[in-house]
Amino acid sequence: MIKHPIGIFISGRGSNLKSIVDACKEKEYPAEVKVVFSNNKNAPGLSFAKENNLEAITLDYHKFKNTEEYEEKIISLLKPFDLELICLAGYMKILSKKLIGHYPNKIINIHPSLLPKYKGLNTHQRVLENNETKSGCTVHYVNHEMDGGKIILQREVEISAEDTETSVSKKVLKEEHIIYPEAIKLVLTK
Ligand code: GRF
């Protein structure tokens, strides 16, 4: 089994990072996490990366003049890893066409809603406000439209009247941890 080199971008907790790293430990899984990138040096997910001896890079956006220069630096730092796929996993910075253009069709993201519904932030809150009976998560390609790229995989969860933002988030996250590794496998082996 060829282990394709992938990179994971995070800004926070890193539970999706963990689910991907766990999948990569399987002999038959077609990917290996070569690098973890974070825009936030305090991201808890970075501790997980270090504990698991993963290469981790952090870069503070505020030290750069603009997004273009920031992403140019990211591109140069990632070059040695020859990444075939970049997986955004709770990466809270919108990418510009600089990075997207450098990795055409090679950047994917996970979003905690059934896209195209509920793009953007605070998805669970909006789902509950609208009395939805189901929600879920989506892995999709990243393009110039926020949360608007081609859908790769989705998974649904049911919402009941007793649900809160916390309970919905928990249910959805459980599904995220299943579909993200599945979607990566799909993309790399198609
Ligand atoms: C997840 O809910 C994901 O869908 C969203 O950000 C959250 C990241 O969680 N894009 P984690 O850092 O992977 O735990």
Side-chain angles (χ1 to χ4, degrees), residues 7-160:
I8 315 290
F9 279 32
I10 63 167
S11 299
R13 180 176 53 185
S15 69
N16 279 287
L17 164 69
K18 182 178 180 309
S19 77
I20 297 165
V21 168
D22 283 347
C24 289
K25 287 180 183 155
E26 301 288 326
K27 206 168 147 238
E28 293 305 311
Y29 191 77
E32 183 181 350
V33 177
K34 289 287 187 191
V35 63
V36 176
F37 175 82
S38 179
N39 62 326
N40 169 17
K41 68 176 181 0
N42 299 316
L46 286 171
S47 314
F48 170 82
K50 277 169 202 149
E51 282 155 21
N52 284 270
N53 299 316
L54 296 168
E55 190 86 41
I57 299 175
T58 59
L59 203 57
D60 182 358
Y61 170 70
H62 301 101
K63 294 191 173 142
F64 293 80
K65 243 194 275 162
N66 51 41
T67 306
E68 174 124 326
E69 287 194 6
Y70 181 62
E71 293 188 349
E72 255 166 33
K73 183 69 182 173
I74 296 177
I75 290 167
S76 73
L77 289 168
L78 295 184
K79 195 161 185 277
F81 300 99
D82 277 332
L83 300 177
E84 288 178 36
L85 190 67
I86 289 178
C87 308
L88 308 184
Y91 185 65
M92 297 306 285
K93 201 164 175 338
I94 293 174
L95 304 187
S96 86
K97 58 179 184 220
K98 182 99 208 161
L99 197 63
I100 296 171
H102 190 81
Y103 289 100
N105 287 318
K106 287 184 175 171
I107 307 181
I108 63 176
N109 179 45
I110 188 152
H111 183 76
S113 80
L114 294 173
L115 291 174
K117 291 180 97 172
Y118 302 104
K119 295 175 179 178
L121 297 174
N122 305 319
T123 51
H124 307 316
Q125 183 194 330
R126 289 183 285 139
V127 160
L128 290 172
E129 278 165 7
N130 290 338
N131 298 314
E132 297 279 7
T133 54
K134 63 180 190 182
S135 188
C137 47
T138 305
V139 180
H140 64 93
Y141 283 100
V142 172
N143 66 9
H144 305 305
E145 189 200 338
M146 189 189 54
D147 299 326
K150 190 170 165 241
I151 291 172
I152 302 162
L153 263 187
Q154 285 188 311
R155 196 125 153 170
E156 285 182 15
V157 303
E158 286 189 8
I159 311 276
S160 70

